[in-house]
Amino acid sequence: MTENTPGTLLRDIDSINPVMPYLRQERIPHIWCPSCGIGTTVNCFTRALTESGMNLDEIAIVSGIGCTGRVAGYLNLDSFHTTHGRAIPFATGLKLANPRLKVVVYSGDGDLTAIGGNHFVHAARRNMDLMVICVNNFTYGMTGGQVAPTTPLGAKQTTMPFGNYEAPFNLPFLADACGASYVARWTVFHVRQLAKAMLEGLKKRGFVFIEALSPCPTLYQRRNKRGDGVDELKFYKQNSVVKNGADTKELGLTFNGPIAVGKFVDRERPTWLDAMNEHLGKVLGAEYLPWEGGNG
Amino acid sequence: MNLTSPERQGKGTVFVRPEICKGCSFCIDFCPTHCLEFTKDFNAKGYHFPILARPADCSGCDLCGLYCPDFAIYGERWKDIDARQAKGPPAATASAPKPIAAPRVQDPEPADPKGVLTGIHFMDGDHAACEGALAAGCRFAAGYPITPSTEVVERFAARIPMVGGVFIQMEDELASSIAVQGAVWGGQKSLSVTSGPGFSLMMEHIGLAAITETPGVWVDVQRGGPSTGLPTLPGQADMMQAKWGSHGDYEIIAIVPNSPQECFDLMVKAFNLSEIYRCPVMFMMDEVVGHMVERVVIPPASEIKVVPRKWTHKPKDEYRAYATSKDDPVPEMTKAGAGYRIHVTGLTHDERGYPAMNAVAQDKLVRRLIGKIRDNADKIMDVREDGVEGAEIVVVSYGITSRIAMSAVEEARKRGVRVGHLRLVVAWPFPAKRMRELAKTAKVFIMPELNMGQMVLEIERAVAGAARVVSLPHAGGSVHEPETILAAILEVGR
């Protein structure tokens, strides 16, 4: 799969891009635009998978609809590309049917927090044992750049042609308030930190929420005269402030303001399934058949 | 090449696949040692791609690889390259799929006794439907409270802890109707239950189950509509929605019980059909059947025949998740965690399950989804006939209405009318062929139903003018009076 180019020396060495074993290689190149950050988050995710040492046959990935929703189709894992907004309830059924699986939801901000917002808040409330990766590019990319629940005030979108006047979500605050066990935000500039957060997320039991800010060069950056993807990464670099453990109330994002990044929540709460098994075991005693997935 | 070549510079190097580079310059801008530059060349897509312009500066840190959104570049340290070379080629790491402990053939098996409440009971249709699901091997249910279906999930929630499984009350019907599909791909048999507006909300995922060929049973205890309508009173006005409610072309199977006993028996059948054809099965109860309390006999587990999932036993490299043959239009199934690394999408897909968005793939997939039901309609068909052969009048009914129609038919016969009764147990696919056969002798079909005329359209379409078709509509909220149906029979029989 590898090739050398003028300027490099290693024509015959057996080597492979560490991301490649995780991809359905016959589907590459992907559909994402030049300088879109989604692919970068996929690199981070695959590095986290390597580090975790987990059995890849026991990891399932569930996506909704949208550009980030296509991640499931590129990853060489058991992968499910579901309907718009419903990745979390699908993942909930999958996880409960076979609790041995590590189930990762990988989707975009519009999918997870607009049409899927209700599912998001309830999965966090239940502390469903899911890792949710939200690639937040502040817009609906697949449909052409409409206003999202994350679009900063003032930003122009096709359905906010004179600038957005609708207050956006502060996603870490939302996840925290709903009871998530782990909440972090990084940008695609922070590749090593993002990979580390994903590794922690893979190891964590309970509802994990990782927000990854990413450029949408075609529809957010261009419309808002912010250059292309690399300019946005430079913006992230210059404007990000690491605030581990910060009060999530204070993490709201603005059009040009500072970006608080870091790990904000890391707490222990019983997962939905742990709570069910413990409670029913206590109340029903020997009559109860604890659920571990049966023959499933 | 000679790894100790004097050409080796720096601590590491980079590898580039120019053909998939999109020229974003992430690698160039964020390389900590600034050793990369764009070439002046273009790749086939017209992008400049990076080269290692200053090899002596490359540390092989792979930050370029971590940044590259197109997977087109990565870096490696010489010492790691050397270590790997010294070790030799890596052993194959792909693990063989774990065999699934189930027979390949879908021969029915006796039910798992854990879920079977053998005995003679006095219970309502909602509860009996739940027992049918447990007997059929259903171990996951998701629902949202809505009258008059809630008792199904209430019973499931109370019974499943002792049977082994999960019930979860989801945040809405959209969530319930897809959580059950997640559970199916996790290896379980699953049930979702609703009524009225909840059925409308579930429609999105009926289409998903159809295109992803996810087996499962969706219960609709029909009430009066539209909208909130009559929450506590019966209707049969979701019959067309059951067939056509989700967008696009697809086929489902719909079963209509008319008693609590049938809620049990036919629920087992519903699960079995959904596993055989890998399609959603709609279980179309109504408020009266759901709340009517009658004797329900649950046989011993050994006498209940349950169809297992059509598990694949193919090796990983041979298995294609949506591959079918001429003889068998239903693909073999697997589940997450079995090692096959499947991809399942609601997009139009090819045999591998990969998105294939073009007219050819669409034609192939949609024809198969439709064909696997339509071509087997005769096998799926289930009608219960009473004196229809040679009858001049055939009353066609289903669900609770069939029990009223029966008494009207009996009364009409006493008065000398040659009238038969045909009850739809499977409403979809509609038994059009059987209707056409009957139309050779029957002069009139009469169809009472608790809607303003839905399934009657199917009779009209089937007989195509060969017989007269009389609709006896009822807006719901109560059931037909037997006298109404009798009067219609006598009227046309005159």
Coordinates of all heavy atoms in Angstrom, one line a residue, chain A residues 1-3 6-7 9-10 13-16 20 24 26 30 32 34 36 40 43 47 57 76 78-79 81 83 86 89 93 97 119 126 189 234 288-289 291 293 296, chain B residues 1 3 7 13 16-17 22 29 47 51-52 62 65-70 74 76 78 84 95 161 163 166 169 171 179 182 188 205 335 337 341-346 354:
Chain A
M1 N 0.8 -1.2 0.0 CA 0.0 0.0 0.0 C 0.9 1.3 0.0 O 0.4 2.3 -0.3 CB -0.9 0.0 1.2 CG -2.0 -1.0 1.3 SD -3.1 -1.0 -0.1 CE -3.9 0.6 0.1
T2 N 2.1 1.1 0.4 CA 2.9 2.3 0.6 C 3.7 2.7 -0.6 O 4.0 1.8 -1.4 CB 3.8 2.2 1.8 OG1 4.7 1.1 1.5 CG2 3.1 1.9 3.1
E3 N 3.9 3.9 -0.8 CA 4.7 4.3 -2.0 C 5.7 5.4 -1.5 O 5.4 6.1 -0.6 CB 3.8 5.0 -3.0 CG 3.2 4.0 -4.0 CD 2.5 4.7 -5.1 OE1 3.0 5.8 -5.5 OE2 1.4 4.2 -5.5
P6 N 9.5 11.3 -4.6 CA 10.7 12.0 -4.7 C 11.1 12.7 -3.4 O 10.2 13.3 -2.8 CB 10.5 13.1 -5.8 CG 9.3 12.5 -6.5 CD 8.5 11.7 -5.6
G7 N 12.3 12.5 -3.0 CA 12.7 13.2 -1.7 C 12.7 12.2 -0.6 O 13.3 12.4 0.5
L9 N 13.5 8.0 0.7 CA 14.6 7.1 0.3 C 14.1 5.6 0.3 O 14.8 4.7 -0.1 CB 15.8 7.2 1.3 CG 16.4 8.6 1.3 CD1 17.3 8.7 2.5 CD2 17.1 8.9 0.0
L10 N 12.9 5.3 0.9 CA 12.7 4.0 1.3 C 11.7 3.3 0.4 O 10.6 3.1 0.6 CB 12.1 4.0 2.7 CG 13.0 4.7 3.7 CD1 12.3 4.8 5.0 CD2 14.2 3.9 3.9
I13 N 11.1 -0.9 1.6 CA 11.0 -1.3 3.0 C 9.5 -1.7 3.3 O 8.6 -0.9 2.9 CB 11.5 -0.2 4.0 CG1 13.0 -0.1 3.9 CG2 11.1 -0.5 5.4 CD1 13.6 0.9 4.8
D14 N 9.4 -2.8 3.9 CA 8.0 -3.2 4.3 C 7.5 -2.4 5.4 O 8.0 -2.4 6.5 CB 8.1 -4.7 4.7 CG 6.8 -5.1 5.4 OD1 5.7 -4.8 4.9 OD2 6.9 -5.9 6.4
S15 N 6.5 -1.6 5.1 CA 6.0 -0.7 6.2 C 4.6 -0.3 5.8 O 4.2 -0.4 4.7 CB 6.9 0.6 6.2 OG 6.4 1.5 7.2
I16 N 3.9 0.0 6.8 CA 2.5 0.4 6.6 C 2.0 1.5 7.5 O 2.4 1.5 8.7 CB 1.6 -0.9 6.7 CG1 0.2 -0.6 6.2 CG2 1.6 -1.5 8.1 CD1 -0.6 -1.9 5.9
M20 N -3.8 2.2 8.6 CA -4.4 1.4 7.5 C -5.1 0.1 8.0 O -6.2 -0.3 7.5 CB -3.3 1.0 6.5 CG -3.1 2.1 5.5 SD -4.6 2.5 4.5 CE -4.3 4.1 3.9
R24 N -11.2 0.1 6.0 CA -11.7 -0.7 4.9 C -11.0 -0.1 3.7 O -11.5 0.8 3.1 CB -13.2 -0.7 4.8 CG -13.9 -1.2 6.0 CD -15.4 -1.2 5.8 NE -16.1 -1.4 7.0 CZ -16.4 -2.7 7.5 NH1 -16.1 -3.7 6.8 NH2 -17.1 -2.8 8.6
E26 N -10.3 -0.8 0.7 CA -10.9 -0.7 -0.6 C -11.9 0.5 -0.7 O -12.3 0.8 -1.8 CB -11.6 -2.0 -0.9 CG -12.8 -2.4 -0.1 CD -12.5 -3.1 1.2 OE1 -11.4 -2.8 1.8 OE2 -13.3 -3.9 1.7
H30 N -11.5 8.5 0.8 CA -12.9 8.8 1.4 C -13.5 10.0 0.7 O -12.9 10.6 -0.2 CB -12.7 9.0 2.9 CG -11.7 10.1 3.2 ND1 -11.8 11.4 2.8 CD2 -10.6 10.1 4.0 CE1 -10.8 12.1 3.3 NE2 -10.1 11.3 4.0
W32 N -14.5 12.8 2.2 CA -14.3 14.1 2.9 C -13.5 15.1 2.1 O -12.6 14.8 1.4 CB -13.7 13.9 4.3 CG -14.6 13.0 5.1 CD1 -16.0 13.1 5.3 CD2 -14.2 11.9 5.9 NE1 -16.4 12.2 6.2 CE2 -15.4 11.4 6.5 CE3 -13.0 11.3 6.2 CZ2 -15.3 10.3 7.4 CZ3 -13.0 10.2 7.0 CH2 -14.1 9.7 7.6
P34 N -11.0 18.3 0.9 CA -9.6 18.6 1.3 C -9.6 19.5 2.5 O -10.4 20.5 2.6 CB -9.1 19.4 0.1 CG -10.0 19.0 -1.0 CD -11.3 18.6 -0.4
C36 N -10.7 18.9 5.5 CA -11.7 18.6 6.5 C -10.9 17.8 7.6 O -10.0 17.1 7.4 CB -12.7 17.6 5.9 SG -13.7 16.8 7.1
T40 N -8.6 13.3 10.4 CA -7.6 13.5 11.5 C -8.1 12.8 12.8 O -7.4 12.2 13.5 CB -7.3 15.0 11.7 OG1 -6.9 15.5 10.5 CG2 -6.2 15.2 12.7
N43 N -7.5 9.2 12.6 CA -6.2 8.8 13.0 C -6.0 8.7 14.5 O -5.5 7.7 15.1 CB -5.2 9.9 12.6 CG -5.0 9.8 11.1 OD1 -4.9 8.8 10.5 ND2 -4.9 11.0 10.5
R47 N -5.1 5.3 16.7 CA -4.0 5.3 17.6 C -4.4 4.9 19.0 O -3.8 4.1 19.7 CB -3.2 6.6 17.7 CG -2.7 7.2 16.4 CD -1.8 6.2 15.7 NE -1.0 6.8 14.6 CZ -1.5 7.2 13.4 NH1 -2.7 6.8 13.1 NH2 -0.7 7.8 12.5
D57 N -12.3 -7.2 17.5 CA -13.5 -7.9 17.2 C -14.6 -7.6 18.2 O -15.8 -8.0 18.0 CB -13.3 -9.4 17.1 CG -12.5 -9.9 15.9 OD1 -12.5 -9.1 14.9 OD2 -12.0 -11.0 15.9
N76 N -12.6 -0.5 9.8 CA -12.7 -2.0 9.6 C -13.0 -2.6 10.9 O -12.2 -3.4 11.5 CB -11.4 -2.5 9.0 CG -11.4 -4.0 8.7 OD1 -12.5 -4.5 8.5 ND2 -10.3 -4.6 8.6
D78 N -16.8 -3.9 13.3 CA -18.3 -4.1 13.1 C -18.8 -2.7 13.1 O -18.7 -2.0 14.1 CB -18.9 -5.0 14.1 CG -18.6 -6.5 13.9 OD1 -18.6 -6.9 12.7 OD2 -18.3 -7.2 14.9
S79 N -19.5 -2.3 12.0 CA -19.8 -0.9 11.9 C -21.3 -0.7 11.4 O -21.7 -1.4 10.5 CB -18.8 -0.1 11.0 OG -18.8 -0.7 9.8
H81 N -24.1 2.2 10.2 CA -24.4 3.5 9.7 C -25.9 3.6 9.8 O -26.6 3.0 8.9 CB -23.9 3.6 8.3 CG -24.1 5.0 7.6 ND1 -24.5 5.1 6.3 CD2 -24.0 6.2 8.1 CE1 -24.6 6.3 6.0 NE2 -24.3 7.1 7.0
T83 N -29.7 5.8 11.2 CA -30.5 7.0 10.7 C -30.0 8.3 11.3 O -29.3 8.3 12.3 CB -32.0 6.7 10.9 OG1 -32.2 6.4 12.3 CG2 -32.5 5.6 10.1
R86 N -30.0 8.9 15.3 CA -30.4 7.8 16.1 C -29.3 6.8 16.4 O -29.5 5.6 16.7 CB -31.6 7.0 15.5 CG -32.6 7.8 14.8 CD -33.4 8.7 15.7 NE -34.3 9.6 15.0 CZ -34.7 10.8 15.4 NH1 -34.3 11.2 16.6 NH2 -35.4 11.5 14.6
P89 N -29.5 5.6 20.3 CA -30.4 4.5 20.7 C -30.1 3.2 20.0 O -30.2 2.1 20.6 CB -31.8 5.0 20.2 CG -31.5 6.2 19.4 CD -30.2 6.8 19.8
G93 N -29.2 -0.3 22.2 CA -29.7 -1.7 22.0 C -28.5 -2.7 21.8 O -28.5 -3.8 22.3
A97 N -27.7 -5.7 24.3 CA -27.9 -7.1 23.8 C -26.6 -7.9 24.0 O -26.7 -9.1 24.2 CB -28.2 -7.0 22.3
H119 N -31.9 11.8 22.5 CA -31.2 10.5 22.8 C -29.9 10.8 23.6 O -29.6 10.0 24.5 CB -31.0 9.8 21.5 CG -32.2 9.7 20.6 ND1 -33.4 9.2 21.1 CD2 -32.4 10.0 19.3 CE1 -34.3 9.3 20.1 NE2 -33.7 9.8 19.0
R126 N -28.7 8.1 31.8 CA -28.7 6.7 32.2 C -27.3 6.2 32.4 O -27.1 5.1 32.9 CB -29.3 5.8 31.1 CG -30.7 6.1 30.8 CD -31.2 5.1 29.7 NE -32.6 5.4 29.4 CZ -33.1 5.8 28.3 NH1 -32.3 6.1 27.2 NH2 -34.4 6.0 28.1
F189 N -6.4 20.2 16.0 CA -5.0 20.6 16.2 C -4.3 19.7 17.3 O -3.1 19.3 17.2 CB -4.8 22.1 16.5 CG -3.5 22.4 17.0 CD1 -2.4 22.5 16.1 CD2 -3.2 22.7 18.3 CE1 -1.1 22.8 16.5 CE2 -1.9 23.0 18.8 CZ -0.9 23.0 17.8
K234 N -4.7 26.5 12.7 CA -3.8 27.6 13.3 C -4.6 28.4 14.3 O -4.1 28.8 15.3 CB -3.2 28.4 12.2 CG -2.1 27.7 11.4 CD -1.6 28.5 10.2 CE -0.6 27.7 9.4 NZ -0.4 28.3 8.1
Y288 N -33.4 -13.8 40.1 CA -33.0 -12.9 39.0 C -31.8 -13.6 38.2 O -30.9 -14.2 38.8 CB -32.4 -11.6 39.6 CG -31.9 -10.7 38.5 CD1 -32.7 -10.3 37.4 CD2 -30.6 -10.2 38.6 CE1 -32.2 -9.5 36.4 CE2 -30.1 -9.4 37.6 CZ -30.9 -9.0 36.5 OH -30.4 -8.2 35.5
L289 N -32.0 -13.5 36.9 CA -30.9 -14.0 36.1 C -30.1 -12.8 35.6 O -30.5 -12.1 34.7 CB -31.5 -14.8 34.8 CG -32.1 -16.2 35.1 CD1 -32.6 -16.7 33.7 CD2 -31.0 -17.1 35.6
W291 N -27.9 -10.3 33.6 CA -27.8 -10.3 32.1 C -26.4 -10.0 31.7 O -25.8 -9.0 32.0 CB -28.8 -9.2 31.6 CG -28.7 -9.1 30.1 CD1 -28.3 -8.0 29.4 CD2 -29.0 -10.1 29.1 NE1 -28.4 -8.3 28.0 CE2 -28.8 -9.6 27.9 CE3 -29.5 -11.4 29.2 CZ2 -29.1 -10.3 26.7 CZ3 -29.8 -12.1 28.1 CH2 -29.5 -11.6 26.8
G293 N -25.7 -11.0 28.4 CA -25.7 -11.1 26.9 C -26.2 -12.5 26.4 O -26.4 -12.7 25.3
G296 N -26.3 -14.4 23.0 CA -26.2 -13.5 21.9 C -24.8 -13.2 21.4 O -23.8 -13.5 22.0
Chain B
M1 N 16.5 -2.5 0.1 CA 17.7 -1.6 0.1 C 18.5 -1.8 1.3 O 18.1 -2.4 2.3 CB 17.2 -0.1 -0.1 CG 16.6 0.4 1.2 SD 16.4 2.2 1.1 CE 18.0 2.8 1.6
L3 N 19.9 -0.9 4.5 CA 19.4 0.0 5.5 C 20.5 0.8 6.2 O 20.3 1.7 6.9 CB 18.7 -0.8 6.6 CG 17.3 -1.4 6.1 CD1 16.7 -2.2 7.2 CD2 16.4 -0.3 5.7
E7 N 22.8 7.0 2.5 CA 21.7 7.9 2.1 C 20.8 8.1 3.3 O 20.0 9.1 3.3 CB 20.8 7.3 1.0 CG 21.6 7.3 -0.4 CD 20.8 6.4 -1.4 OE1 19.6 6.3 -1.2 OE2 21.4 6.0 -2.3
T13 N 11.9 8.8 8.7 CA 11.5 9.2 7.3 C 10.0 9.2 7.2 O 9.3 8.8 8.1 CB 12.2 8.3 6.3 OG1 11.9 8.9 5.0 CG2 11.6 6.9 6.3
V16 N 4.7 8.4 1.6 CA 3.5 9.2 1.1 C 2.8 8.4 0.0 O 3.5 7.7 -0.8 CB 4.1 10.5 0.4 CG1 2.9 11.4 -0.1 CG2 4.8 11.4 1.4
R17 N 1.5 8.5 0.0 CA 0.7 7.9 -1.1 C 0.1 9.1 -1.9 O -0.9 9.6 -1.5 CB -0.4 7.1 -0.6 CG 0.0 5.7 -0.1 CD -1.2 4.9 0.4 NE -2.1 4.6 -0.7 CZ -3.3 4.1 -0.5 NH1 -3.7 3.8 0.8 NH2 -4.2 3.9 -1.5
K22 N -5.0 15.1 -0.7 CA -5.8 16.2 -1.1 C -5.2 17.6 -0.9 O -5.9 18.6 -0.9 CB -7.2 16.1 -0.5 CG -8.0 14.9 -1.0 CD -9.4 14.8 -0.3 CE -10.0 13.4 -0.7 NZ -11.1 13.1 0.2
D29 N 2.4 22.1 7.5 CA 2.3 23.2 8.5 C 2.6 22.8 9.9 O 3.1 23.6 10.7 CB 0.9 23.9 8.4 CG 0.9 24.8 7.2 OD1 0.9 24.4 6.1 OD2 0.8 26.1 7.5
Y47 N -3.9 17.8 -7.1 CA -3.4 18.4 -5.8 C -1.9 18.2 -5.8 O -1.3 17.2 -6.2 CB -3.9 17.6 -4.6 CG -5.4 17.7 -4.5 CD1 -6.3 16.6 -4.6 CD2 -6.0 19.0 -4.1 CE1 -7.6 16.7 -4.5 CE2 -7.4 19.1 -4.0 CZ -8.2 17.9 -4.1 OH -9.6 18.0 -4.0
I51 N 6.5 16.2 -0.1 CA 7.7 15.4 -0.1 C 8.6 15.8 1.1 O 8.5 16.8 1.7 CB 8.5 15.7 -1.4 CG1 8.7 17.2 -1.6 CG2 7.8 15.0 -2.6 CD1 9.8 17.5 -2.6
L52 N 9.5 14.8 1.3 CA 10.4 15.1 2.4 C 11.6 15.9 1.8 O 12.5 15.4 1.2 CB 10.9 13.7 2.9 CG 11.9 13.7 4.1 CD1 11.3 14.5 5.3 CD2 12.2 12.3 4.5
D62 N 5.9 10.9 13.2 CA 4.6 10.5 12.7 C 3.5 11.5 13.1 O 2.3 11.2 13.0 CB 4.2 9.1 13.2 CG 3.0 8.6 12.5 OD1 2.8 8.9 11.3 OD2 2.1 8.0 13.1
G65 N 1.5 11.8 10.1 CA 0.5 10.7 10.0 C -0.7 10.9 10.8 O -1.8 10.6 10.4
L66 N -0.5 11.5 12.0 CA -1.6 11.7 12.9 C -2.5 12.8 12.4 O -3.7 12.8 12.6 CB -1.0 12.0 14.3 CG -1.8 11.8 15.6 CD1 -2.5 10.4 15.5 CD2 -0.9 11.8 16.8
Y67 N -1.9 13.8 11.8 CA -2.7 15.0 11.2 C -3.4 14.6 9.9 O -4.4 15.2 9.6 CB -1.8 16.2 11.0 CG -1.6 17.0 12.3 CD1 -0.4 17.2 12.9 CD2 -2.7 17.8 12.7 CE1 -0.3 17.9 14.1 CE2 -2.6 18.5 13.9 CZ -1.4 18.6 14.6 OH -1.3 19.4 15.7
C68 N -2.7 13.8 9.1 CA -3.2 13.7 7.7 C -4.6 13.2 7.7 O -4.9 12.0 8.0 CB -2.3 12.7 6.9 SG -2.9 12.5 5.2
P69 N -5.6 14.0 7.2 CA -7.0 13.6 7.2 C -7.3 12.6 6.1 O -8.4 12.0 6.0 CB -7.8 14.9 7.1 CG -6.8 15.9 6.5 CD -5.4 15.4 6.8
D70 N -6.3 12.4 5.2 CA -6.6 11.6 4.0 C -5.8 10.3 4.1 O -5.8 9.5 3.1 CB -6.2 12.3 2.8 CG -7.1 13.6 2.6 OD1 -8.3 13.4 2.5 OD2 -6.6 14.7 2.7
Y74 N 2.7 9.1 6.4 CA 3.0 8.8 7.8 C 4.5 8.8 8.0 O 5.2 8.6 7.0 CB 2.4 7.5 8.3 CG 2.9 6.3 7.6 CD1 3.9 5.5 8.3 CD2 2.6 5.9 6.3 CE1 4.4 4.4 7.7 CE2 3.1 4.8 5.7 CZ 4.0 4.0 6.4 OH 4.5 2.9 5.8
E76 N 8.0 7.3 10.2 CA 8.5 6.2 11.1 C 10.0 6.5 11.4 O 10.7 7.0 10.6 CB 8.3 4.9 10.4 CG 8.4 3.7 11.3 CD 7.9 2.4 10.7 OE1 7.8 2.3 9.5 OE2 7.6 1.5 11.5
W78 N 13.8 5.4 12.1 CA 14.7 4.3 11.6 C 14.8 3.2 12.6 O 14.8 2.0 12.2 CB 16.1 4.9 11.3 CG 16.1 5.8 10.1 CD1 16.3 7.2 10.1 CD2 15.8 5.5 8.7 NE1 16.2 7.7 8.8 CE2 15.9 6.6 8.0 CE3 15.5 4.3 8.1 CZ2 15.8 6.6 6.6 CZ3 15.4 4.3 6.7 CH2 15.5 5.4 6.0
R84 N 11.7 -3.7 13.3 CA 10.7 -4.6 12.6 C 11.4 -5.5 11.6 O 11.0 -6.6 11.5 CB 9.6 -3.7 12.0 CG 8.3 -4.4 11.7 CD 7.3 -3.6 11.1 NE 7.8 -2.9 9.9 CZ 8.0 -1.6 9.8 NH1 7.6 -0.8 10.8 NH2 8.4 -1.1 8.7
S95 N -8.0 -12.5 13.5 CA -8.5 -13.7 14.2 C -9.6 -14.3 13.4 O -10.4 -13.6 12.8 CB -8.9 -13.2 15.6 OG -9.9 -12.2 15.5
P161 N -36.6 -10.2 34.0 CA -35.5 -10.4 34.9 C -35.4 -11.9 35.3 O -34.3 -12.4 35.6 CB -35.9 -9.6 36.2 CG -36.9 -8.6 35.6 CD -37.6 -9.2 34.5
V163 N -36.3 -14.4 33.2 CA -36.1 -15.1 32.0 C -34.6 -14.9 31.5 O -34.0 -15.8 30.9 CB -37.1 -14.7 30.9 CG1 -36.8 -15.4 29.6 CG2 -38.5 -15.1 31.3
V166 N -33.3 -8.1 28.6 CA -33.4 -6.7 29.0 C -34.6 -6.0 28.5 O -35.0 -6.3 27.3 CB -32.2 -5.9 28.4 CG1 -32.2 -4.4 28.7 CG2 -30.8 -6.4 28.9
Q169 N -37.1 1.2 28.8 CA -38.1 2.2 28.4 C -37.3 3.3 27.8 O -36.6 4.1 28.5 CB -39.0 2.6 29.6 CG -40.0 3.6 29.1 CD -41.0 4.0 30.3 OE1 -41.4 3.1 31.0 NE2 -41.2 5.3 30.4
E171 N -36.6 6.9 25.4 CA -37.1 8.3 25.6 C -38.2 8.6 24.6 O -38.9 9.6 24.8 CB -36.0 9.3 25.5 CG -35.1 9.1 24.3 CD -34.0 8.1 24.5 OE1 -34.0 7.4 25.5 OE2 -33.1 8.0 23.6
A179 N -33.5 1.0 18.9 CA -32.8 0.3 19.9 C -33.0 -1.2 19.7 O -32.0 -2.0 19.9 CB -33.3 0.7 21.3
G182 N -30.5 -2.3 17.1 CA -29.2 -2.5 17.7 C -29.1 -3.9 18.4 O -28.1 -4.6 18.3
Q188 N -29.6 -10.6 19.6 CA -30.9 -11.0 20.3 C -32.0 -11.0 19.3 O -32.0 -10.3 18.2 CB -31.1 -10.1 21.4 CG -30.0 -10.0 22.5 CD -29.7 -11.4 23.1 OE1 -30.5 -12.3 23.2 NE2 -28.4 -11.6 23.4
H205 N -37.9 3.9 11.2 CA -37.0 2.7 11.4 C -37.5 1.4 10.9 O -36.8 0.4 10.8 CB -36.6 2.6 12.9 CG -35.8 3.8 13.3 ND1 -36.0 4.6 14.4 CD2 -34.7 4.4 12.6 CE1 -35.1 5.6 14.4 NE2 -34.4 5.5 13.4
K335 N -23.5 -11.1 13.5 CA -23.8 -10.1 14.5 C -22.5 -9.4 14.9 O -21.4 -9.9 14.6 CB -24.4 -10.7 15.7 CG -23.5 -11.8 16.4 CD -24.1 -12.4 17.6 CE -23.2 -13.5 18.1 NZ -23.7 -14.0 19.4
G337 N -19.3 -8.5 17.0 CA -18.6 -9.2 17.9 C -18.2 -10.6 17.5 O -17.5 -11.4 18.1
R341 N -16.5 -8.3 11.1 CA -16.3 -6.9 10.7 C -17.2 -6.4 9.6 O -16.8 -6.0 8.6 CB -14.8 -6.6 10.3 CG -13.8 -7.2 11.3 CD -13.6 -6.3 12.5 NE -12.5 -6.9 13.3 CZ -11.2 -6.6 13.2 NH1 -10.8 -5.7 12.3 NH2 -10.3 -7.1 14.0
I342 N -18.5 -6.6 9.9 CA -19.5 -6.2 8.9 C -19.8 -4.7 8.9 O -19.5 -4.0 9.9 CB -20.9 -6.9 9.3 CG1 -21.2 -6.8 10.8 CG2 -20.9 -8.4 8.8 CD1 -22.6 -7.1 11.2
H343 N -20.3 -4.3 7.8 CA -20.8 -2.9 7.7 C -22.3 -3.0 7.3 O -22.6 -3.6 6.4 CB -20.0 -2.1 6.7 CG -20.5 -0.6 6.7 ND1 -20.5 0.2 7.9 CD2 -21.0 0.2 5.7 CE1 -21.0 1.4 7.5 NE2 -21.3 1.4 6.3
V344 N -23.1 -2.3 8.1 CA -24.5 -2.3 7.9 C -24.9 -0.8 7.7 O -24.6 0.0 8.6 CB -25.2 -2.9 9.1 CG1 -26.7 -2.8 8.9 CG2 -24.8 -4.4 9.3
T345 N -25.6 -0.5 6.6 CA -25.9 0.9 6.4 C -27.4 1.0 5.8 O -27.8 0.1 5.2 CB -25.0 1.6 5.4 OG1 -25.4 2.9 5.1 CG2 -24.9 0.9 4.1
G346 N -28.0 2.1 6.2 CA -29.3 2.5 5.6 C -29.2 3.0 4.2 O -30.2 3.2 3.6
Y354 N -21.5 -2.3 1.6 CA -20.9 -1.0 1.4 C -21.9 -0.1 0.6 O -22.5 -0.5 -0.3 CB -19.6 -1.1 0.6 CG -18.5 -1.7 1.4 CD1 -17.2 -1.9 0.8 CD2 -18.7 -2.2 2.7 CE1 -16.2 -2.5 1.5 CE2 -17.6 -2.8 3.4 CZ -16.4 -3.0 2.8 OH -15.4 -3.6 3.5

